[in-house]
Structure formats: structure tokens, C-alpha cells
């Protein structure tokens, strides 16, 4: 399992009730959208619309070494939209994560939700695309070992088993 560092610093404080985790890791860069889905969300149905959304998300460049991720969990019994989480991240000078980041994270750590004491969780990439309404992409990891990708509107109120993923500059 990864070495997650729960964090609160004078520069970076979680919203009330929330918890921040930092993770420094090296993510695999996938050459295609489909390869990223197969690696990080292999249980995604062939008919799922997320499989056709790759053209809306720019493929990332290569990483030189490791990437620093900040993961925001709003806590038990919370309901949070991506808009609200992204507003907090913008105030704290964090960068959006790409779906490629979340697919790579899920490929390396298929049971990452256990670090949060949860029996399953969704890891949401915070970069948006317009379909025509703004959407984000995420990976749901279940206690049965399933990992599925999906697209969700940014105004959707995610439940307390959702972790928003950001990059540090």
C-alpha cells in the first residue's frame, strides 16, 4: 500500500470536516485513452460512455520522476460537488488532476480506499470537459476488487465515499 501522509500545514488546510492526504508516486503514462481505462478501471463496461470521452481530455505529457498528489476527502456523511472542491483547490493554488492521473493511481493502488477506512471509494479527476455540460471522470474502487470509470456532471453532489484528486504545482 502507498505511504499516505495525512497533512495540514499553514499553507494547506482541509475544509471543515475534511481530510487531506499527500502522495508522491510515479504514474504510468498511457499512450491511449483505452489503455488508461484498461489499466485503472478494467471493469468498465464496453458500452459505458466514458470510453468515448477520451477526445475531451488532453493526454498528459511525460513525467520526470514523481508526481505530488493531494487527495481531499470531505469526511463521513458529507456531500460535495466538484465545483465546491475545485473552488477550495483554486484558493489553495492546487492544480486539477487529469483522468489519466486517476487511472494511473487506480492501476498502481487498486485498494487505495482502504487507506481511508472505507469499503469502497470513488477517486475523481478534477479536470472538466464539456459534453455539453461540464463533466468530470473518476474511478470507483469496490471492496469486491472491481474498478469502474464513469463520467459525472460537475454539479453532482458526491457522497462521502468520494476523494477528489489534485496535483501540487
Amino acid at each position: 500500500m502507498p505511504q499516505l501522509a495525512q497533512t495540514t500545514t499553514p499553507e494547506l488546510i482541509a475544509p471543515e470536516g475534511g481530510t487531506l492526504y499527500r502522495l508522491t508516486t510515479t504514474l504510468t503514462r498511457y499512450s491511449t485513452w483505452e489503455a488508461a481505462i484498461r489499466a485503472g478501471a478494467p471493469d468498465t463496461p464496453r458500452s459505458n460512455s466514458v470510453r468515448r470521452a477520451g477526445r475531451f481530455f488532453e493526454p498528459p505529457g511525460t513525467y520526470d520522476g514523481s508526481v505530488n498528489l493531494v487527495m481531499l476527502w470531505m469526511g463521513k456523511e458529507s456531500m460535495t460537488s466538484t465545483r465546491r472542491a475545485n473552488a477550495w483547490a483554486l484558493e489553495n493554488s492546487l492544480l486539477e488532476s487529469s483522468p489519466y492521473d486517476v487511472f494511473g493511481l487506480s492501476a498502481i493502488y487498486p485498494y487505495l480506499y482502504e487507506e481511508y477506512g472505507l469499503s469502497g471509494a470513488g477517486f475523481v479527476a478534477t479536470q472538466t470537459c464539456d459534453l455539453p455540460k461540464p463533466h468530470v471522470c473518476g474511478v470507483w474502487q469496490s471492496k469486491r476488487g472491481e474498478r469502474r470509470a464513469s463520467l459525472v456532471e460537475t454539479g453532482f453532489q458526491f457522497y462521502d465515499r468520494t476523494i477528489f484528486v489534485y496535483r501540487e504545482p
Side-chain angles (χ1 to χ4, degrees):
M1 289 303 281
Q3 293 298 314
L4 292 180
Q6 187 171 340
T7 187
T8 298
T9 66
E11 303 84 34
L12 192 60
I13 298 172
E16 185 177 340
T19 304
L20 296 176
Y21 289 92
R22 280 192 164 114
L23 175 65
T24 299
T25 191
T26 300
L27 299 177
T28 300
R29 305 321 296 161
Y30 299 100
S31 59
T32 67
W33 181 254
E34 188 59 33
I37 290 174
R38 279 194 311 270
D43 302 303
T44 304
R46 300 281 322 147
S47 61
N48 190 311
S49 61
V50 74
R51 291 191 179 272
R52 296 181 300 280
R55 68 181 184 272
F56 297 106
F57 295 103
E58 186 174 325
T62 58
Y63 288 137
D64 292 329
S66 59
V67 60
N68 298 315
L69 300 176
V70 173
M71 293 177 279
L72 170 63
W73 178 43
M74 294 300 287
K76 292 185 184 230
E77 300 181 25
S78 65
M79 290 187 69
T80 307
S81 70
T82 306
R83 289 181 194 143
R84 179 175 168 223
N86 282 357
W88 170 85
L90 185 62
E91 290 173 10
N92 287 280
S93 302
L94 294 175
L95 306 173
E96 295 175 334
S97 64
S98 130
Y100 288 91
D101 294 331
V102 174
F103 292 142
L105 187 65
S106 181
I108 297 169
Y109 307 113
Y111 297 95
L112 186 57
Y113 61 86
E114 291 176 347
E115 294 292 317
Y116 294 86
L118 299 172
S119 59
F123 292 85
V124 176
T126 48
Q127 176 187 13
T128 61
C129 72
D130 293 322
L131 296 174
K133 294 181 181 179
H135 282 68
V136 290
C137 181
V139 175
W140 172 258
Q141 296 181 344
S142 79
K143 66 180 177 182
R144 294 184 306 271
E146 291 180 330
R147 294 174 290 147
R148 295 176 185 246
S150 63
L151 292 170
V152 180
E153 283 189 41
T154 58
F156 179 78
Q157 296 291 317
F158 287 97
Y159 290 98
D160 61 354
R161 292 178 183 225
T162 303
I163 290 104
F164 298 94
V165 181
Y166 297 95
R167 292 163 124 234
E168 288 189 288

